[in-house]
Amino acid sequence: MSQNILVLDEGTTSTRAMLFTPEGACIGTSQRELTQHYPQSGWVEHCPHEIWERTRDCAAEMIARAGGPERIAAIGITNQRETVVAWDKASGEPLTRAIVWQDRRTEPFCMALREAGHEAEVQARTGLLLDPYFSGTKMRWMLDNVPEVRAAAERGTLAFGTVESWLTFKLSGGAHITDASNASRTLLMDLAAPGFDAGLCDLIGVPMNALPQVTDMAGALAATESALFGRAIPITGLVGDQQAATIGQACLAPGETKATYGTGAFVLANRGSAIPRSTNRLLGTVLTQLGGERIYAIEGSVFVAGSLVQWLRDSLGIVEVASQTEELARSIPDSGGVVIVPALSGLGAPHWRAEARGVIAGLSFSSGKAQLARAALEAMAHQTYDLARAFAADGAEWQTLRIDGGMSANNWMAQDLADVLGVPVERPAFVETTALGAAMLAATGAGLYPALGSAAAAMRGQAMRFEPAMADAVRDERLARWQHALRAA
Ligand code: ADP
């Protein structure tokens, strides 16, 4: 019996291995922290060795827990997207530290490309904006600034990849592939084309022969070297983390939408097989590629969600633990007119105002901890409402919203989201939707299910539903106050 699915979930602050049954039950987790390197303001780096070794160790632990490698049917990998690793194909060794998705060092290059008038074409072709967030300009930076990377490019042995690509290379002992969801975050792939694009690679300045081959997200993609875990285990699912969460929430039909509330908030709506064209500064991205067929999503993210609650806890000392915001919010009938605009690190979609800063409006002598905590939670619904309007303007109106992430545990916030958005909000009992989505893909790729839809139907658990119940007048007044405060941010 080799029926378990091993998921490797490589996040920003830690890497994990999780063991799933084919029915979607998580029966084991092993986790290791990842060291964050901040060599300069705005720079964030990871050590590729550490990513590999800690992920491998977590995997080995879960394989032992399962009872040996013959009990693992398949491996699925999901990862922090956009982070770039450079390594030498011949030696298999990294050439420099990984540049992490949050890193802003390529802003001058992005600005030069924007000023040269390239953004409209890049957006039309890739669905992305010319922002340091995406992988391509990070690759270019390494070529220009790391002599070892340049030398490997000249030798023809340079390999670039996002983290699922790096891990697959190390696990398999040499496969250089990337899945379409990760590839769609590089600025180097046209959403309409199966592989990387020569014109885009030229524009960004990345040699195509250093890039991995773009593959489906499920299937016989690679296999582990047998010496590594004692058996060649098939790698049958590869997927970027937000796409994985969208799949884990079973948003497989056009219009179905999920929102993940962690440090920040990420919203993705399934748009079916038509390439999304946002006119509201949302991103277009690949949600799935199976059998060469793509389904697309539009995506919007807000920078500050749970981190606002963390700020209330660590900088203001209003709560001792994040979950106390719930009882504080419930202890009063309203926020007493207090509105928080959580632009502590600028405003993301749909505003895209990097220079904006936070605002607390409407303070009076009756404002206290409870009002601030409530206003912080209310800000999540307000920010999400602005995204909902942008999605609707792009033709993707939400019928329900499926939520997950650490902050979604807050029942008061979940109800407030339903109230302000005016749509039902659903929260699954098992909120590790990113890992679950990777497990669904890997199970499909291993042939345990005939299609992703049947994997999702079998593996997705029960969800709790929050129905909208707020009077229109209350909602309108709140949104008016939010709009007013937003102008001051
Ligand atoms: P990430 O994956 O981005 O590290 P998580 O999904 O683990 O984040 O979510 C953690 C965030 O959610 C923290 O910023 C924390 O402040 C917030 N959070 C966790 N539980 C609650 C809660 N019950 N109420 C409000 N915020 C919460």
Side-chain angles (χ1 to χ4, degrees):
M1 273 290 285
S2 64
Q3 287 291 298
N4 291 318
I5 308 289
L6 177 65
V7 169
L8 308 181
D9 177 1
E10 204 279 346
T12 307
T13 57
S14 72
T15 187
R16 295 189 299 180
M18 296 168 81
L19 207 53
F20 284 88
T21 66
E23 293 74 37
C26 178
I27 53 172
T29 299
S30 162
Q31 183 163 16
R32 304 253 193 301
E33 296 300 310
L34 294 173
T35 313
Q36 312 290 313
H37 300 272
Y38 304 107
Q40 290 189 29
S41 159
W43 292 28
V44 190
E45 299 178 348
H46 283 166
C47 170
H49 265 307
E50 185 184 88
I51 291 174
W52 159 236
E53 284 167 6
R54 296 194 178 169
T55 304
R56 181 198 58 201
D57 294 350
C58 288
E61 215 175 282
M62 282 301 103
I63 292 168
R65 172 95 56 96
E70 44 304 311
R71 293 191 170 260
I72 308 290
I75 293 177
I77 305 177
T78 180
N79 59 300
Q80 46 161 324
R81 304 174 301 174
E82 296 100 7
T83 297
V84 172
V85 182
W87 68 94
D88 190 295
K89 283 181 219 176
S91 69
E93 292 301 310
L95 295 161
T96 183
R97 280 201 194 132
I99 302 184
V100 178
W101 59 273
Q102 296 143 314
D103 192 292
R104 305 299 296 173
R105 77 183 68 180
T106 65
E107 174 54 25
F109 180 47
C110 290
M111 194 194 293
L113 289 170
R114 288 196 301 269
E115 280 171 357
H118 292 296
E119 188 157 75
E121 191 209 344
V122 167
Q123 189 191 12
R125 301 192 63 196
T126 68
L128 310 177
L129 302 169
L130 283 167
D131 187 276
Y133 181 24
F134 306 107
S135 315
T137 62
K138 295 174 157 91
M139 296 176 187
R140 168 66 184 268
W141 190 94
M142 288 179 176
L143 283 162
D144 287 350
N145 293 279
V146 184
E148 292 79 3
V149 172
R150 173 60 64 187
E154 280 160 11
R155 284 197 304 274
T157 58
L158 174 64
F160 278 131
T162 37
V163 175
E164 89 301 346
S165 180
W166 166 238
L167 290 175
T168 303
F169 180 88
K170 294 302 273 183
L171 287 164
S172 65
H176 191 204
I177 58 174
T178 185
D179 74 277
S181 69
N182 275 292
S184 76
R185 315 296 294 182
T186 57
L187 289 170
L188 305 176
M189 189 181 77
D190 192 314
L191 286 177
F196 290 112
D197 180 85
L200 290 165
C201 287
D202 239 21
L203 177 70
I204 309 290
V206 174
M208 281 186 91
N209 63 4
L211 294 173
Q213 189 196 338
V214 181
T215 68
D216 272 0
M217 293 162 64
L221 305 174
T224 61
E225 267 187 302
S226 34
L228 193 60
F229 300 124
R231 177 178 100 83
I233 305 173
I235 299 171
T236 59
L238 296 176
V239 55
D241 57 5
Q242 295 308 318
Q243 282 88 342
T246 311
I247 294 163
Q249 288 270 26
C251 295
L252 299 179
E256 292 177 337
T257 305
K258 73 89 197 180
T260 300
Y261 294 90
T263 305
F266 292 88
V267 182
L268 272 82
N270 184 315
R271 293 296 281 146
S273 53
I275 295 177
R277 309 255 176 240
S278 176
T279 49
N280 295 278
R281 307 214 27 102
L282 300 172
L283 306 175
T285 204
V286 173
L287 175 59
T288 60
Q289 180 182 314
L290 301 166
E293 301 284 318
R294 285 187 183 158
I295 296 291
Y296 298 92
I298 52 174
E299 172 172 334
S301 23
V302 303
F303 300 145
V304 177
S307 52
L308 181 66
V309 173
Q310 244 165 310
W311 180 76
L312 292 184
R313 187 193 66 190
D314 301 339
S315 297
L316 299 191
I318 282 178
V319 290
E320 275 167 19
V321 290
S323 55
Q324 278 172 358
T325 51
E326 178 162 349
E327 57 188 84
L328 283 172
R330 282 190 200 287
S331 70
I332 47 175
D334 55 53
S335 73
V338 178
V339 181
I340 299 182
V341 182
L344 282 78
S345 53
L347 285 170
H351 310 289
W352 292 105
R353 282 165 52 195
E355 74 301 341
R357 286 299 172 264
V359 169
I360 302 180
L363 291 173
S364 69
F365 282 114
S366 61
S367 314
K369 286 183 184 187
Q371 285 76 15
L372 283 171
R374 183 159 171 143
L377 295 183
E378 288 184 352
M380 302 306 131
H382 299 154
Q383 298 191 103
T384 309
Y385 178 85
D386 287 350
L387 277 179
R389 291 225 314 201
F391 275 72
D394 272 343
E397 199 163 341
W398 308 344
Q399 304 304 321
T400 61
L401 183 65
R402 300 177 187 172
I403 64 169
D404 52 53
M407 201 182 186
S408 72
N410 191 305
N411 289 315
W412 190 88
M413 185 194 84
Q415 181 59 48
D416 194 53
L417 279 171
D419 287 343
V420 171
L421 298 172
V423 299
V425 164
E426 288 179 5
R427 183 183 64 203
F430 181 68
V431 292
E432 298 288 354
T433 54
T434 302
L436 182 61
M440 289 172 179
L441 279 168
T444 309
L448 300 183
Y449 294 99
L452 187 57
S454 32
M459 297 172 78
R460 184 180 181 229
Q462 293 297 313
M464 187 168 167
R465 221 169 133 93
F466 300 84
E467 298 289 344
M470 185 180 270
D472 288 350
V474 176
R475 177 193 308 128
D476 293 348
E477 200 200 321
R478 263 190 49 191
L479 290 169
R481 251 189 268 126
W482 163 253
Q483 284 304 325
H484 191 255
L486 202 53
R487 282 192 285 276

